[in-house]
Every structure is written in C-alpha cells, then in structure tokens.
Amino acid sequence: MSTIREPVVIHKGLDNVYVKESKICYIDGEASKLFYRGYSIEELASHSTFEETSYLLIYGWLPTESQLDQFTGKLESYRVIEPRLLDLLRKLPPKSDPMDVLRTAVSALGVYDPQPATDDLDARIDKALAILAKVPTIITAFQRLRTGSDPIPPKGHMTQAGEFLYMLTGHEPDPHDVHVMDVALILHAEHEMNASTFACTVTASTLADMYSVITSGIGTLRGPLHGGANEAALRTVLDVGDPSNADSYVVDALTHKKRIMGFGHRVYKTWDPRYLILKKLGEELAVKKGQTKLFDTALAIETSARKHLEGTPIFPNVDSYSGIVFHMLGIETDLFTPIFVMSRISGWTAHTIEYLEANRLIRPKALYVGKIGLPYPPIESRSGKPQE
Ligand code: ACO
C-alpha cells in the first residue's frame, strides 16, 4: 500500500509562520530593534519599572498613577503562598532542578484554586497576576529550603525585583541591585511568538485554565536552546575562567561544531538590543562588585566569537550577559531560568489574552510519510525492528 502524500510545504521550526495579528511586541531582527506596545526597549529600560511594563503588556497602555497603585496592590496581595504549597515545597527533593519545582508548584496552585477555569478574560488575567506575584515567593522559598533555611515571607511595599532579592536573603536589598534586577525583568518580559509563548498560546487555544497555560510555558522555557541558555552561558564564562583562555575556547568550540551559548537567535541577525543594555549594566555591576575578571572573560569570549563568526548572522543574544549579571547579584546559577519565568509570565499572559479574544483551536498538520494498511503480525513473527 502506498504512502499518502499531499502537495504541502513543511515549515520546520515554524519559521516565518504567522499564527495571529498582534499589538504586543515588534522585533526588527535586522535593525536591532525591540518594542513593547510601541515603546522601545531602550525607553522602557531607562524610564519604566517591571510593574509598569507588565501592565503595559497585559492591558495595552501605560498605567496612570491610580491604575499602577491598584495593580501593584493586587500583586502585593497575591504574593504570599499558602502553607500547603510550602509543605509541598518542603517535600520535594532538595536536589530538584528549580525549574521542575516551579513547574510543579504553579501546577499545584491550580489544584488549590477551587475554580481554576474561567471563560472571563479579566478573571483569567487575575489568575495570571496571582501566579506572577507568587513565583518569586516560590523560587526563594525553595532556594532557602534546599540550603537548610526557613523561607522568608514577602516584606510588602516592595517591587517584584525588590521582594525577590529580599526573600532570598532576608536583608534589605541594595537599591542599585534592585534597579539592575528590575531592568533585567523588563528586558525578559516579552519577546513575541517565541517557543514558550507559542506553547502557552496552544494550551490557551484549547480553553485550558491559566495554571495549565503557564505550566506549559515553564516546561517549554526550560530547554537549553531557549530560557536555559543563560545558565549555560555563565557556566561557559566560569569554565573559561580568564580572558586569556577565551580565544582557544572559542576556536575549539567552533572547530568541533559546538554552539557558543548566549550567541545566535532565530529572529535577531544582528545585535540583540537587550544584550546591549545588559552588557552595560554588567560592566557597571562588575566594577561595583569587584568582579571585573568575570566580566572581562565574557567580553573576551564575545570578542573572539565575533572575530571567528565574522560574516555570519550569529551575534550575542540577551543570555550572553544576563547570567553574569544575576551571578554578580549573588543568585545561584540554576535560578536564572526561574527568574526568566518571574518576568515572562507578563508576556505569556498578554499573548494568551490577545489570542483568546478571537480564539481558534490550534491544530496544525503533520505530513504522513509512513506506510498504511499493514497486516497485523502475530507476536512470534515480529522482527522487533522498524518496518523497512
Ligand atoms: N554558536 C555557534 N554556531 C551557531 C550558534 C552558536 N551559538 N548558533 C547557531 N550557530 C550555527 C549553527 O551551528 C548552524 O551552522 P551550520 O549551518 O553550519 O550547521 C547555523 O548557525 C544555523 O543554526 P540554526 O540552529 O539553524 O539557527 P537558528 O536561527 O535556528 O538558531 C538558536 C537559533 C537555536 C538560538 C541558536 O543560535 C543556538 O543554539 N544558540 C545557542 C543557545 C542560545 O544562546 N539560546 C538563547 C536564545 S535567546 C532566548 O531564547 C532568550
């Protein structure tokens, strides 16, 4: 029996496939430009806060003072996590990857919500804001539990960035550290139809609840080709150890066809504008924290990679310096991707709501190239190998 073939084009990786019209994010990957709702990332990083940016992404406009007060008040009211979630975190193996913990905890929030599903878009946003506000509490609680300390409840009257740094240590965070963290959260909040946002959109298109939507996003962001690259990029810098080793590392990696983490992007074929902002913050932080060798090593890897990759569209992306920045803020490496979640929930929510306003179940096709109509063989006559 012959295979069925249709005259179709396969879009591997869904490159250049549009799944909706959107007013949330515009990227010009050839011109190094990124806009959230029309505002450039440079403007937002200079003037906005993560809370304002989240409001902008989710609702579509920059909030007035009273709208912002209401929004931050809501986040604050949601920040505390309930005792049974803390109990669950205590029971998870301390060696668990924090992304697995976060995925489990966000999924559990849905179980604890007496009414997780809703058709009302405002109620969906509310549930997403509750998750957004609780994620820093979950990450820091697990971090403290696995290192033998008690979780610290949120202090209140602090931003997402400030609360996160406070709950990690229990100390009032340095205002400049809070600023750096806040800018990092702004830079990671949204990036159009990337893999995790698409995963959220697919889940939302089935009308699943927001806990399922965000759990899908977390699972997808986890991979080393997406959110996990920041951890890998820092590990590379730490392994290289000194600017003088950078060139031999890069040559060896490229010779053996290994990818240099923190480089390359599906959309940016030039400098990632977020990288430029983070690099500057990283440079300032390195001087302040006395960690210039770390920064100089990253810079040497970048310089060498750009020299050897000259003529290719492979440039540093946001992850080439984000890991270094988080490391200098005293954050453990495996918390970097959870921090990404702590920010990206805003973008996931914005896209989910926008898609649901004119929902259509996402159901692409696969071109079948196998056989059909095979006779069912008795177990004793099976080859135990794929069919020829
Ligand atoms: N280092 C070395 N070579 C690279 C790199 C890299 N970082 N990225 C791509 N290339 C090369 C590939 O080996 C391939 O070469 P070939 O044609 O000789 O086989 C060519 O460039 C094209 O690679 P693709 O994977 O097809 O390019 P794509 O646009 O799909 O890549 C991706 C995007 C997956 C991000 C890739 O650049 C990569 O793996 N980078 C490293 C991981 C990383 O930093 N990810 C973070 C992305 S940003 C984010 O998610 C927040």
Side-chain angles (χ1 to χ4, degrees):
M1 186 87 56
S2 68
T3 300
I4 299 170
R5 280 188 179 272
E6 296 173 25
V8 295
V9 177
I10 295 178
H11 297 276
K12 213 174 163 210
L14 300 186
D15 293 26
N16 297 320
V17 173
Y18 291 83
V19 295
K20 65 169 181 172
E21 288 186 344
S22 179
K23 292 184 175 161
I24 299 169
C25 178
Y26 177 68
I27 307 169
D28 185 340
E30 306 289 336
S32 191
K33 295 280 177 224
L34 168 62
F35 299 87
Y36 295 170
R37 300 269 187 196
Y39 298 97
S40 77
I41 197 66
E42 292 81 7
E43 282 273 293
L44 292 167
S46 302
H47 305 298
S48 194
T49 61
F50 174 68
E51 280 71 12
E52 278 195 333
T53 300
S54 295
Y55 189 103
L56 170 72
L57 288 169
I58 295 170
Y59 294 103
W61 62 90
L62 281 169
T64 63
E65 211 162 320
S66 69
Q67 286 170 332
L68 185 61
D69 283 350
Q70 211 187 344
F71 185 72
T72 50
K74 204 175 249 189
L75 291 178
E76 200 173 314
S77 73
Y78 288 141
R79 191 104 55 204
V80 174
I81 55 175
E82 49 182 304
R84 53 191 167 166
L85 184 60
L86 266 180
D87 284 346
L88 175 71
L89 295 178
R90 279 184 222 281
K91 286 183 187 125
L92 296 175
K95 285 210 162 79
S96 307
D97 186 292
M99 278 299 274
D100 296 338
V101 170
L102 196 52
R103 193 190 57 224
T104 305
V106 169
S107 182
L109 285 174
V111 179
Y112 301 146
D113 185 335
Q115 210 185 343
T118 169
D119 290 337
D120 180 75
L121 291 188
D122 287 330
R124 273 184 175 269
I125 292 176
D126 241 46
K127 290 188 189 295
L129 294 183
I131 303 170
L132 175 70
K134 287 182 202 309
V135 163
T137 320
I138 294 167
I139 302 170
T140 53
F142 178 69
Q143 168 61 17
R144 291 189 64 83
L145 287 169
R146 73 175 174 172
T147 51
S149 315
D150 284 330
I152 295 169
K155 191 162 197 262
H157 306 295
M158 283 179 117
T159 60
Q160 182 97 335
E163 283 288 13
F164 174 73
L165 294 176
Y166 168 75
M167 288 189 283
L168 264 186
T169 61
H171 304 304
E172 192 75 36
D174 173 273
H176 182 253
D177 287 0
V178 176
H179 166 70
V180 170
M181 189 71 199
D182 193 55
V183 175
L185 294 182
I186 293 173
L187 300 181
H188 287 86
E190 162 57 16
H191 214 232
E192 207 229 45
M193 198 47 69
N194 54 81
S196 56
T197 304
F198 184 57
C200 290
T201 307
V202 172
T203 307
S205 83
T206 70
L207 301 184
D209 61 277
M210 287 308 280
Y211 301 96
S212 301
V213 167
I214 292 172
T215 302
S216 298
I218 295 172
T220 309
L221 188 70
R222 192 190 187 313
L225 295 188
H226 193 8
N230 52 18
E231 299 180 17
L234 173 73
R235 287 199 176 99
T236 300
V237 178
L238 293 174
D239 286 350
V240 170
D242 191 274
S244 62
N245 302 328
D247 201 53
S248 57
Y249 160 75
V250 170
V251 171
D252 185 66
L254 295 179
T255 308
H256 292 95
K257 289 251 164 216
K258 284 192 205 142
R259 292 188 177 212
I260 300 174
M261 289 293 150
F263 278 75
H265 201 278
R266 182 61 62 80
V267 181
Y268 293 114
K269 297 305 167 195
T270 179
W271 310 100
D272 179 336
R274 302 166 299 174
Y275 137 86
L276 292 168
I277 297 167
L278 271 174
K279 185 177 173 183
K280 189 163 169 286
L281 284 179
E283 193 168 10
E284 289 164 10
L285 208 55
V287 173
K288 185 180 152 204
K289 304 269 182 192
Q291 298 207 31
T292 48
K293 187 169 159 194
L294 182 78
F295 182 83
D296 290 345
T297 305
L299 195 60
I301 294 172
E302 180 196 326
T303 309
S304 168
R306 277 308 304 147
K307 183 177 82 187
H308 295 292
L309 291 167
E310 204 184 337
T312 75
I314 305 167
F315 285 77
N317 61 47
V318 65
D319 289 327
S320 61
Y321 286 94
S322 60
I324 290 169
V325 164
F326 295 143
H327 180 77
M328 289 191 289
L329 290 175
I331 300 166
E332 292 227 8
T333 309
D334 61 3
L335 299 185
F336 299 171
T337 317
I339 292 172
F340 201 153
V341 174
M342 191 170 114
S343 161
R344 185 55 65 85
I345 290 173
S346 303
W348 290 341
T349 304
H351 279 282
T352 299
I353 299 300
E354 187 180 65
Y355 191 83
L356 286 174
E357 280 165 357
N359 188 42
R360 180 165 172 79
L361 174 70
I362 294 176
R363 202 309 189 181
K365 293 191 80 175
L367 180 66
Y368 183 69
V369 294
K371 295 179 177 173
I372 56 169
L374 296 173
Y376 191 81
I379 194 161
E380 61 279 6
S381 66
R382 294 175 196 167
S383 70
K385 288 191 293 204
Q387 296 281 348
E388 291 286 300

